[in-house]
Amino acid sequence: MPRIVRPAAYGTPDVLTVVEVPAPHPAPDGVVVEVRAAGVNPIDWKLYSGDFHAVDDDLKDSAGITASLPSLGLECAGVVTAVGADVTGVRVGDEVIVYPVTAAYADYVTAPATSVLAKPTGLGWAEAGSLMLTGTTAFHALHAAGVAAGDTVLVHGGAGGVGLMGVQLAAAAGATVIATASERNHALLRELGATPVVYGPGLGDRVRAAAPRGVDAAVDFAGTDEALDVSLELVADRTRIASITGSPRRAAAGIKLLGYGPGQDPGTEIRNAARAHLVERAASGALRVVVDTTFPLTEAAKAHEVGIAGHAPGKLVLIP
Ligand SMILES: NC(=O)c1ccc[n+]([C@@H]2O[C@H](COP(=O)([O-])OP(=O)(O)OC[C@H]3O[C@@H](n4cnc5c(N)ncnc54)[C@H](OP(=O)(O)O)[C@@H]3O)[C@@H](O)[C@H]2O)c1
């Protein structure tokens, strides 16, 4: 039977279970994809941590799982195994990237055909399965902060999944990129076109030294008070500071708030439009998907523990 990874309760990664489920069928406008790689993202563990929702629903579904618990896996790549009656342009056997999608921590996933993009042949499964969520988010953030050729942009959290995408996309757009990261990730960031600086006390001075002509825009992928404070200190125009993490201080600061929470801009159109651009750049080798570690599906909990520890340079990926 096909497997799916689901949380059995709200909590820490040890609540994750592998459940057997019937093989799915496509909706008339949808497809079924055999998953070859599913990207792991912080949203995955945040969803069942209980941080986002009051945990007060103990209804069980047919698998004995609390009904209100989220499914996991918001991006993947794989091979199309079934196509709905109304679908054109996608065929059984096609190698595809699927985004947006839900419940991709699984052997098989269903998705609307509009979520399917052809996987470039030269792109590995792990890279293809973990390109989209971080790539579209970084693209949206740079767009919101108005980053263009000639700008100097500060990227907070440059060595994370979103950060590594943001650094490359900003450099490709012709911006000068200053990126914050631990020392051990500096060589990688230099390779990708950024000037790295260590985060922590004194960050503002280090960025000033690295950007003597000043900083035009900042994208916050770190979510720390420091990232907000240094951005406000160095960027004169607050509409050119974009954050993908929420906090009451960020909401009060007059900066751009991006995402799916209250008061945040989901950027649906710009993120959708970014997908083809990202695939094209990844196919040509102009955009590198840095995969840190792959895990079998049964080790999703271990992948989440590594992610929660917070210092993986690049993507964690599940391989069913
Ligand atoms: N709003 C949205 O649409 C959206 C979308 C995607 C992600 N997010 C959120 O954005 C955040 C980043 O996502 P991600 O996928 O990039 O996470 P990630 O890959 O887990 O990020 C890990 C990186 O964070 C860096 N880091 C840790 N502490 C830091 C600090 N104090 N200052 C600067 N960098 C630090 C680490 O760099 P070092 O190893 O160099 O220390 C590590 O490489 C998460 O909170 C995520 O939930 C939001």
Side-chain angles (χ1 to χ4, degrees):
M1 288 259 276
R3 304 161 302 160
I4 185 167
V5 175
R6 300 191 64 184
Y10 284 94
T12 49
D14 55 342
V15 303
L16 296 186
T17 54
V18 181
V19 183
E20 291 194 339
V21 289
H25 297 286
D29 62 349
V31 298
V32 176
V33 171
E34 185 181 355
V35 178
R36 295 291 171 85
V40 171
N41 291 284
I43 184 71
D44 300 341
W45 55 81
K46 289 180 184 180
L47 281 171
Y48 67 85
S49 69
D51 285 355
F52 289 172
H53 307 281
V55 184
D56 57 2
D57 184 349
D58 62 358
L59 295 172
K60 306 281 190 217
D61 70 10
S62 57
I65 304 289
T66 302
S68 64
L69 283 163
S71 57
L72 302 180
L74 296 176
E75 62 178 337
C76 68
V79 179
V80 175
T81 57
V83 172
D86 300 342
V87 174
T88 54
V90 184
R91 282 187 299 232
V92 169
D94 284 355
E95 297 190 348
V96 295
I97 292 174
V98 195
Y99 185 79
V101 67
T102 54
Y105 282 19
D107 288 318
Y108 292 89
V109 75
T110 56
T114 50
S115 289
V116 168
L117 296 103
K119 181 183 90 65
T121 43
L123 194 64
W125 284 115
E127 289 77 10
S130 62
L131 161 68
M132 281 294 163
L133 195 145
T134 55
T136 55
T137 304
F139 191 95
H140 182 202
L142 294 170
H143 180 266
V147 174
D151 282 339
T152 296
V153 59
L154 174 59
V155 177
H156 295 281
V162 183
L164 290 167
M165 287 286 158
V167 161
Q168 295 180 81
L169 293 171
T176 298
V177 184
I178 317 286
T180 73
S182 305
E183 188 98 45
R184 72 195 167 88
N185 293 322
H186 284 197
L188 172 64
L189 286 169
R190 275 195 204 95
E191 217 178 290
L192 298 178
T195 299
V197 290
V198 174
Y199 54 80
L203 175 61
D205 292 338
R206 287 191 292 283
V207 176
R208 266 191 213 92
R213 286 186 294 121
V215 177
D216 301 298
V219 285
D220 163 30
F221 304 145
T224 56
D225 280 349
E226 174 187 78
L228 176 63
D229 292 339
V230 170
S231 299
L232 294 174
E233 187 186 318
L234 297 181
V235 179
D237 178 355
R238 291 190 175 199
T239 67
R240 299 207 62 196
I241 303 172
S243 179
I244 62 166
T245 67
S247 72
R249 286 192 61 222
R250 281 171 174 74
I255 65 171
K256 301 261 179 76
L257 302 174
L258 314 179
Y260 304 94
Q264 295 179 329
D265 171 13
T268 309
E269 272 181 34
I270 184 84
R271 292 190 192 210
N272 274 343
R275 297 181 311 158
H277 176 75
L278 293 165
V279 169
E280 201 178 294
R281 294 195 71 78
S284 71
L287 181 67
R288 193 168 135 200
V289 185
V290 179
V291 173
D292 180 53
T293 316
T294 61
F295 301 83
L297 195 61
T298 47
E299 289 184 14
K302 198 167 157 195
H304 282 197
E305 280 159 15
V306 173
I308 289 166
H311 295 283
K315 295 303 301 170
L316 307 171
V317 183
L318 298 180
I319 307 289

